[in-house]
Amino acid sequence: MSKVICAIDQGTSSSRAILFDSQANVVAVAQKELSSYYPQPGWVEQNPEEIWASVVGVVYEALAKASLSMEDIDSFAITNQRETTIVFEKATGRPVHFALVWQSRQSAPLCEAKKEEGHEAWVYQRTGLVMDAYFSASKIRWILDHIPNGQKRAENNELAFSTVDSWLIYKLTQGKLHVTDATNASRTQLLNLKTGEWDEDCLKLWNIPACMLPEIKNTSEVVGYSASALFSRPIPIASMVGDQQAALFGQLCVSRGMVKNTYGTGCFLLMNTGDQPIQSKHGLLSTVAWKMNGKTTYALEGSVFMAGAAIQWLRDGLKLFDQASESESLALSVSDSEGVVVVPAFIGLGAPYWRHDVQGAILCLSRGSTKAHVTRATLESLAYQTYDVVNAMSEDAQMKIKALKVDGGASRNQFLMQFQADILNTAVARPALNETTALGAAFFAGLATGFYESVDQLLSLWSMDKMFEPSMDEALRLAKLDRWHKAVDVVCTFKS
Ligand code: ADP
């Protein structure tokens, strides 16, 4: 057996190790669930030591499953939940607080205060990120304010900040390296997108000492080796990359204008915008897609709050079916939604509407409307919401989207994918391998070590499961979009 790349996919709910061979096939997968702690409503924390222990565990388990040894690993590739914030002592490597997970809201009041002081616009312009508790900056501030002498210890160079990639590398090298990559750095709200360096004004805004921060590296680069004491020999650590950016690369959206959409609980869309960060006029995020050989590629990012979750609601809330996959045959049992429009704004609407105050609605019901029509209309709403984000991206980047690459649970739904292609009037490509996040990290690592030769070789390895070509009549497409936008207007103007 030739060598494998060991991709470590450290996600919010679990840690996984996935072994890829030189043809980008999955050789083995091991997974371990992670505990989350909810000390107060809206707060989400994890134990950094548990994160690390779970990673070591899955690496050994994946190798055992494939009957391979440490000698067979070409390199480690790391992809991770983004923004999650860890502060640890430099002297001992011990975390001073549990990790504040990206969803955690304890620093929201700090962000509100910065907004009121008028800092949102320049921070958005500088970092590409809106002023929100998701990002690491306010989380670091919160931790320093909630441990004894936090600020003083940070200023005395006693404390270090890490995102999860950086924490794992610190542990893998037994404290030798304190590094991160440009994609993870771009989610801290402390990175100047244009210069690629930590931004002094952002650090000042949050009163965070620069000595806490990791060094910023390429996404694809051998940054160091795991300690021999851990895995019997030093193994190259050859990539680190935030999960959504990994999926963009795993989908090989390598040229400007290519977009990937992950249809999970929500949708995550990223568009490759080439060598320039783009300032969105629609509230989309601007971020680093990857940095290779010192050259940065940028992306626009937008998300849909309710995607697969709306299908879960049909299943669990309305009890229309037992399995999410049954939504497909139900939708196809009618030839049309017959005018029914579902706006699943259960927690408001994200980009490009940004209305947290609105609620969901089912419109234009008739006596003949059945659960099939409601299911079909709900699936259609995933495609419409995706259309709105893609449209905002195209306007911001002033380019037409070239292709939509899709992954995630709901991308298995053939009806949805065909409708998506029709509504976008663009081909939708679904890859054979759904493990795009881990694959992207493995691609970056393989390019750094020579395990994979070139992006061209990767393009030849990437195989399609199915291509969905648009086939809807243009007048009908525009009429459907018009109906959707009118329904969104109704929801946005409704006063209860
Ligand atoms: P996450 O990583 O966010 O948990 P997944 O990528 O595992 O999400 O996808 C699960 C989501 O996709 C669920 O919300 C589920 O309702 C939805 N889903 C799964 N299969 C289908 C399907 N065949 N049709 C429509 N929705 C689906």
Side-chain angles (χ1 to χ4, degrees), residues 306 309-311 313-314 342-349 356 358-361 378:
M306 280 293 146
I311 308 303
W313 172 71
L314 296 180
V342 174
V343 184
F346 302 140
I347 52 165
L349 289 168
H356 287 285
V358 301
Q359 286 175 304
T378 306

Side-chain angles (χ1 to χ4, degrees), residues 52-276:
W52 165 240
S54 68
V55 164
V56 176
V58 291
V59 168
Y60 275 103
E61 195 185 328
L63 282 176
K65 278 188 176 173
S67 304
L68 294 175
S69 75
M70 293 297 167
E71 296 299 320
D72 300 311
I73 300 183
D74 169 82
S75 52
F76 284 123
I78 295 175
T79 179
N80 56 290
Q81 51 169 319
R82 306 175 302 172
E83 297 121 13
T84 296
T85 299
I86 297 166
V87 175
F88 61 91
E89 282 179 350
K90 288 190 178 181
T92 62
R94 266 204 298 269
V96 296
H97 196 280
F98 269 12
L100 303 193
V101 176
W102 56 275
Q103 305 123 316
S104 200
R105 304 302 299 169
Q106 58 262 70
S107 60
L110 303 180
C111 295
E112 283 311 310
K114 297 291 180 223
K115 268 193 209 169
E116 270 162 34
E117 291 162 17
H119 293 295
E120 185 162 48
W122 72 263
V123 171
Y124 186 43
Q125 203 251 335
R126 199 83 62 94
T127 65
L129 306 177
V130 294
M131 187 63 79
D132 192 275
Y134 273 136
F135 308 109
S136 313
S138 66
K139 294 186 191 299
I140 302 175
R141 184 67 261 150
W142 190 94
I143 293 176
L144 294 183
D145 289 342
H146 287 79
I147 56 166
N149 299 320
Q151 186 64 21
K152 210 164 144 231
R153 296 185 69 199
E155 283 171 9
N156 283 346
N157 198 18
E158 291 173 31
L159 302 179
F161 151 70
S162 274
T163 39
V164 170
D165 56 313
S166 171
W167 170 245
L168 294 180
I169 291 180
Y170 181 80
K171 297 296 271 184
L172 279 168
T173 59
Q174 293 192 322
K176 252 205 199 135
L177 289 179
H178 184 219
V179 294
T180 187
D181 93 299
T183 66
N184 279 292
S186 75
R187 314 303 296 185
T188 59
Q189 207 165 52
L190 297 171
L191 185 85
N192 184 313
L193 270 191
K194 287 220 173 89
T195 64
E197 309 280 346
W198 299 121
D199 187 277
E200 275 179 31
D201 293 329
C202 291
L203 286 169
K204 233 182 258 157
L205 178 69
W206 293 102
N207 199 15
I208 295 171
C211 60
M212 290 185 77
L213 304 178
E215 188 187 338
I216 303 167
K217 297 288 199 178
N218 284 296
T219 306
S220 170
E221 173 181 355
V222 177
V223 288
Y225 294 80
S226 63
S228 327
L230 281 174
F231 297 123
S232 68
R233 75 177 187 99
I235 298 170
I237 303 164
S239 72
M240 41 186 161
V241 54
D243 53 7
Q244 295 304 323
Q245 284 92 335
L248 185 70
F249 199 66
Q251 288 275 22
L252 290 172
C253 291
V254 289
S255 54
R256 233 174 125 245
M258 292 181 86
V259 184
K260 77 93 192 171
N261 190 12
T262 303
Y263 297 79
T265 308
C267 283
F268 271 105
L269 287 105
L270 262 78
M271 174 193 247
N272 178 331
T273 60
D275 58 7
Q276 290 301 322

Side-chain angles (χ1 to χ4, degrees), residues 313 336-344 360-366 369 373-382 384 419 479-491:
W313 172 71
D336 195 84
S337 64
E338 286 183 9
V340 177
V341 185
V342 174
V343 184
I362 303 178
L363 288 94
C364 305
L365 294 168
S366 70
S369 302
H373 297 112
V374 172
T375 300
R376 188 167 172 127
T378 306
L379 284 168
E380 289 178 354
S381 77
L382 273 58
Y384 291 133
F419 190 76
K480 282 187 180 291
L481 280 168
D482 184 51
R483 237 181 133 71
W484 161 253
H485 289 127
K486 282 188 177 133
V488 170
D489 271 350
V490 168
V491 161

Side-chain angles (χ1 to χ4, degrees), residues 13 262-268 307-313 315-316 321 323-328 379 382 407-414 416 434:
S13 49
T262 303
Y263 297 79
T265 308
C267 283
F268 271 105
I311 308 303
Q312 278 170 356
W313 172 71
R315 185 193 63 192
D316 305 336
F321 39 78
Q323 307 256 346
S325 56
E326 290 168 46
S327 61
E328 180 172 343
L379 284 168
L382 273 58
D407 51 53
S411 73
R412 305 328 294 169
N413 190 306
Q414 315 258 20
L416 171 59
N434 213 13

